[in-house]
Amino acid sequence: MYPEYFSVRMRAAEGKAHELGGKHISGGERLCDHSQLGAIATELLAKASNHTRGSADFIQLVVEKVPSEQLQFIPPLDVSAIEVATVQEGHDKAKDQLAAAGVSERAIEHAFFILNHERNLRGAAIVNCETGERLDDREQKGVRVSRMDWNDGGQVEDSVRVREALALATKVAHSPYTVAELCWSDDPDYVTGYVSSQQLGYVRISPLKKMGCESGGRVFFVHNDVDIDSYMNFLERKPVFIQGGDSE
Ligand code: WAQ
Ligand code: MG
Ligand code: MG
Ligand code: MG
């Protein structure tokens, strides 16, 4: 008998629902047992409200039981940080890290173009690490990584934002198809971003954008031989708990 787990997902938009052209405000994805459902739904509703991107008037919450015999436990990536004086320097550092991970210059430039210009991306763009071609057909919806959470007894070791980002980056890096990830927030008040991979770990870089700017998103760079359907299925559907690593 496996314990039962539930995926809880939230997406919030302003004006109208995302698919009707509304502005993306916030999203969130959690994994929990039945006893935590109410508390987690409340946390996600709070996350959707009082957001710096605007005032949500469409909020969707979806709860689904997950096949927990598929549940996997993986340790978090190692965390490091680079502080720089300007956004330009931050971009240069991020590009160096991505190149070291095996991402081509073309692919790096395409990713920076996407994150610099996109103000309403609610998931990730998947980009071929050699050709730079975008491989998902999701446009502004992108690919939303879901069904992951921490299994550390609620131990708060950092801000909720950093915990969420580290959990997501750890799940993404775990796929053998992933070469690296680039991320910065679409929230206008948050300028730290990161580059991550299994080899690099989770490298926080600050700043990666200007205060007040609403552009941002995520790019997952993948190997040329990616099986895109199985990759997207892993990201969206495979239940993963982040567990272990350095505990202080
Ligand atoms: N799956 C795929 N893409 C996502 C997901 C997800 N579950 N959640 C967010 N994104 C994409 C989407 O395009 C968002 O617009 C973008 O990422 C930014 O999301 O160490 O807060 O939640 O200090 O605004 C990184 C640095 C913070 C944290 C990232 O992103 C640190 C952040 P946000
Ligand atoms: Mg957020
Ligand atoms: Mg988030
Ligand atoms: Mg955001």
Side-chain angles (χ1 to χ4, degrees):
M1 256 290 281
Y2 293 96
E4 291 192 336
Y5 286 101
F6 294 83
S7 155
V8 189
R9 293 179 291 145
M10 176 278 292
R11 63 184 170 106
E14 184 176 82
K16 42 193 141 170
H18 298 91
E19 57 274 26
L20 300 176
K23 177 184 179 183
H24 176 62
I25 299 299
S26 172
E29 25 280 306
R30 305 288 301 274
L31 196 58
C32 65
D33 66 28
H34 191 271
S35 71
Q36 298 168 297
L37 275 178
I40 294 225
T42 301
E43 281 179 37
L44 288 172
L45 287 174
K47 187 183 183 195
S49 311
N50 309 314
H51 202 279
T52 54
R53 281 179 61 81
S55 164
D57 41 30
F58 168 88
I59 302 175
Q60 184 182 69
L61 264 183
V62 176
V63 179
E64 289 173 293
K65 195 155 94 178
V66 304
S68 52
E69 68 277 12
Q70 294 175 12
L71 192 60
Q72 227 181 319
F73 295 82
I74 56 182
L77 295 174
D78 292 331
V79 179
S80 61
I82 301 174
E83 301 276 337
V84 290
T86 64
V87 172
Q88 186 55 53
E89 252 185 273
H91 284 196
D92 291 343
K93 293 283 184 199
K95 289 174 184 182
D96 291 347
Q97 298 280 332
L98 290 169
V103 182
S104 75
E105 200 180 318
R106 262 174 92 176
I108 291 172
E109 289 310 321
H110 189 197
F112 274 83
F113 181 86
I114 294 170
L115 294 205
N116 279 322
H117 290 85
E118 190 53 73
R119 279 154 203 284
N120 206 30
L121 182 64
R122 69 182 203 268
I126 299 175
V127 167
N128 183 309
C129 80
E130 293 177 24
T131 65
E133 182 193 355
R134 182 164 174 185
L135 301 178
D136 64 281
D137 55 3
R138 297 280 185 82
E139 302 183 348
Q140 291 202 314
K141 181 173 184 224
V143 178
R144 200 77 203 182
V145 186
S146 128
R147 303 185 175 207
M148 74 285 181
D149 211 324
W150 287 84
N151 186 45
D152 62 354
Q155 180 192 342
V156 177
E157 35 173 81
D158 219 327
S159 77
V160 171
R161 186 191 294 269
V162 179
R163 277 168 65 84
E164 277 180 6
L166 179 56
L168 185 153
T170 297
K171 181 177 175 185
V172 171
H174 190 74
S175 166
Y177 291 126
T178 303
V179 174
E181 175 184 351
L182 169 68
C183 164
W184 69 78
S185 182
D186 58 345
D187 302 1
D189 59 338
Y190 201 79
V191 299
T192 304
Y194 66 86
V195 169
S196 58
S197 81
Q198 206 62 49
Q199 266 81 44
L200 298 170
Y202 178 88
V203 185
R204 308 179 66 199
I205 303 173
S206 194
L208 270 188
K209 75 167 190 182
K210 283 207 186 80
M211 190 61 85
C213 168
E214 290 199 351
S215 75
R218 282 177 157 93
V219 171
F220 304 154
F221 299 95
V222 294
H223 286 291
N224 204 23
D225 66 357
V226 66
D227 175 341
I228 192 73
D229 292 336
S230 95
Y231 186 60
M232 284 170 39
N233 189 62
F234 167 79
L235 297 175
E236 293 177 330
R237 303 195 66 82
K238 173 86 177 170
V240 167
F241 270 125
I242 313 302
Q243 178 174 278
D246 300 330
S247 50
E248 45 268 75

